[in-house]
Amino acid sequence: MSILDAIKQVEGLMPDRYKELSREEMEKRVAHIKRKFGKRLFIPGHHYQKDEVIQFADETGDSLQLAQIAEKNKDADYIVFCGVHFMAETADMLTEKHQTVILPDMRAGCSMADMANMQQTNRAWEKLQHTYGDTIIPLTYVNSTAEIKAFVGKHGGATVTSSNAKKVLEWAFAQKERIMFLPDQHLGRNTAFDLGIPLEDMAVWDPIHEELQTEYNHEQMKVILWKGHCSVHEKFTVKNIADLRERDPDIQIIVHPECSHEVVALSDDSGSTKYIIEAINRAEPGTKWAIGTEMNLVQRIIQEHPDKQIMSLNPDMCPCLTMNRIDLPHLLWSLEQIEKGEPAGIIKVSETIQKDALLALNRMLKNT
Ligand code: 13P
Ligand code: SF4
């Protein structure tokens, strides 16, 4: 072992020698460990994962499905989560104490989840309480840290995913007059708009300047949107849609609700990754589609539907860089660490945070 590899091992990082292995060798070793562990090992994979990883997933799904799958699995001692950090945290909170959740690369975070920290959230809540008193309930997209979920749970709110956001917002409006929605302003705005709330009744909370951004009266606000976004989905633009429609007026455009409201409004349809996959599965052969979501998924959909003409809404799109941190070398390394009895990349949410975060997660799971 090189000195660099020894240091990496101490730091819980994958040694470089894994990068030198052939794909064939890695696949053989992963398959062997999977066979050896059987049901004691479970690998969930998010739709945005690379093909080289997803081929080994025991189940694939969108954020909601993966949370539900984690909750149901009672057999696995090790859950090697092929997705990003917040998803692994959610899996840890929804599984039993004896089950260990592992993220094959600790650097697989989510830039959107990082856009809301606790200090900013406490400050925002304090100011919003001052303005709105007890008329507001917090909701958070699952793409947030366990701490933010705990904050939301403690204050009577729930988590949402892109597949159940509408139902959870309806539930929230039955509890209180207003919603504070963290951290993705676009999913919050698109969902509230679908429920009939005019854009003038939604304000943006800027956590850096600690101010509510709206040109309208604060009293009329129904939804306070955290100023966060997905750095992947913000790359789909109104210009992409205009260019495409000009070139091909027959093309149907379907996008993820993490895209801006303007993009969603100009598209033919929008929905979670699961919704997009199902819409294309249902589509007639020969139909033409442009998809506005992460590139690994778009490429997989293209390969699975040679009878349809499918492309990315943005021709210059690249995959989600943090999702892409999980690759075959990291998957193999994390499995071999388990085999050696030295699991690395363990995700463990503290009991205090978990207690409150589970309130938010369970309110979501109960209402969807
Ligand atoms: P869904 O899987 O819920 O559609 O979410 C997409 C996403 O951005 C996950 O990070
Ligand atoms: Fe986060 Fe966007 Fe990547 Fe999803 S696609 S993990 S929201 S940065």
Side-chain angles (χ1 to χ4, degrees):
M1 187 187 298
S2 69
I3 295 182
L4 201 62
D5 276 1
I7 295 170
K8 288 197 165 179
Q9 193 159 324
V10 172
E11 287 173 345
L13 293 173
M14 182 189 79
D16 280 342
R17 66 189 138 86
Y18 278 88
K19 290 188 201 146
E20 282 142 31
L21 298 172
S22 70
R23 180 163 175 160
E24 201 189 354
E25 172 69 14
M26 289 188 280
E27 288 179 343
K28 205 172 81 198
R29 280 156 67 169
V30 169
H32 166 75
I33 297 178
K34 272 181 65 98
R35 265 196 313 276
K36 182 169 160 187
F37 276 73
K39 284 201 156 125
R40 287 178 53 222
L41 172 69
F42 183 67
I43 307 182
H46 187 268
H47 290 310
Y48 290 165
Q49 290 286 296
K50 296 175 176 198
D51 285 347
E52 65 185 40
V53 168
I54 218 81
Q55 63 173 326
F56 290 111
D58 294 304
E59 297 244 19
T60 59
D62 68 359
S63 312
L64 178 61
Q65 288 173 299
L66 294 181
Q68 289 166 330
I69 287 166
E71 197 191 21
K72 281 196 196 105
N73 186 307
K74 308 283 176 222
D75 300 324
D77 295 331
Y78 296 103
I79 296 174
V80 177
F81 206 103
C82 295
V84 287
H85 195 270
F86 72 81
M87 295 178 182
E89 278 188 333
T90 301
D92 175 52
M93 293 189 280
L94 292 172
T95 47
E96 310 283 319
K97 274 212 172 86
H98 73 272
Q99 299 180 292
T100 304
V101 175
I102 286 168
L103 187 64
D105 187 342
M106 283 302 227
R107 299 167 307 167
C110 163
S111 53
M112 179 203 283
D114 293 340
M115 287 178 195
N117 68 32
M118 267 326 295
Q119 200 189 350
Q120 293 167 333
T121 306
N122 281 326
R123 292 283 297 146
W125 189 246
E126 205 179 289
K127 291 213 175 182
L128 292 173
Q129 290 282 289
H130 187 73
T131 312
Y132 297 119
D134 191 27
T135 65
I136 186 160
I137 185 170
L139 295 182
T140 185
Y141 192 16
V142 284
N143 300 29
S144 53
T145 62
E147 266 185 309
I148 299 288
K149 292 183 177 84
F151 169 91
V152 166
K154 202 158 64 190
H155 291 92
T159 55
V160 317
T161 76
S162 47
S163 338
N164 61 22
K166 237 177 173 172
K167 278 193 190 154
V168 181
L169 256 77
E170 278 170 341
W171 168 84
F173 278 125
Q175 317 300 310
K176 294 275 161 84
E177 213 178 299
R178 307 186 162 79
I179 290 170
M180 167 166 99
F181 192 94
L182 292 127
D184 183 15
Q185 58 170 306
H186 301 305
L187 179 65
R189 186 179 290 111
N190 288 323
T191 312
F193 188 80
D194 272 359
L195 289 174
I197 298 179
L199 295 176
E200 307 84 78
D201 293 359
M202 301 184 215
V204 170
W205 174 264
D206 180 341
I208 307 294
H209 298 101
E210 297 189 355
E211 64 183 18
L212 208 50
Q213 296 176 336
T214 174
E215 31 182 289
Y216 301 95
N217 186 337
H218 286 190
E219 258 315 293
Q220 80 187 64
M221 293 308 138
K222 290 272 176 263
V223 184
I224 311 299
L225 303 160
W226 193 265
K227 197 173 186 172
H229 63 268
C230 166
S231 39
V232 174
H233 289 90
E234 73 164 2
K235 295 200 177 72
F236 297 105
T237 62
V238 166
K239 182 166 183 328
N240 291 148
I241 297 187
D243 289 350
L244 206 63
R245 293 238 194 259
E246 197 187 312
R247 276 207 319 273
D248 192 344
D250 293 337
I251 200 154
Q252 298 183 68
I253 300 176
I254 184 163
V255 299
H256 196 279
E258 287 175 17
C259 293
S260 73
H261 180 64
E262 292 75 17
V263 166
V264 170
L266 288 171
S267 298
D268 297 295
D269 205 354
S270 70
S272 74
T273 51
K274 174 175 178 268
Y275 183 90
I276 293 174
I277 292 168
E278 288 173 354
I280 305 291
N281 285 347
R282 279 194 309 269
E284 293 294 326
T287 47
K288 293 186 242 174
W289 293 85
I291 305 179
T293 196
E294 203 271 347
M295 217 43 214
N296 282 325
L297 175 58
V298 175
Q299 263 154 7
R300 190 169 309 121
I301 295 178
I302 292 173
Q303 276 160 22
E304 285 169 1
H305 295 272
D307 59 332
K308 295 159 200 165
Q309 282 183 47
I310 305 169
M311 63 178 84
S312 169
L313 174 56
N314 178 344
D316 303 319
M317 202 58 192
C318 50
C320 169
L321 294 178
T322 49
M323 278 276 178
N324 260 265
R325 293 231 183 242
I326 312 294
D327 54 13
L328 192 50
H330 279 90
L331 177 60
L332 173 63
W333 170 67
S334 66
L335 295 184
E336 294 197 333
Q337 289 300 116
I338 294 172
E339 196 184 28
K340 276 203 278 181
E342 295 169 18
I346 296 177
I347 303 292
K348 192 87 216 116
V349 177
S350 81
E351 285 200 10
T352 15
I353 291 178
Q354 175 165 344
K355 187 173 110 311
D356 290 331
L358 274 177
L359 295 173
L361 281 164
N362 286 330
R363 281 185 197 119
M364 168 184 83
L365 293 167
K366 217 173 73 195
N367 286 290
T368 50

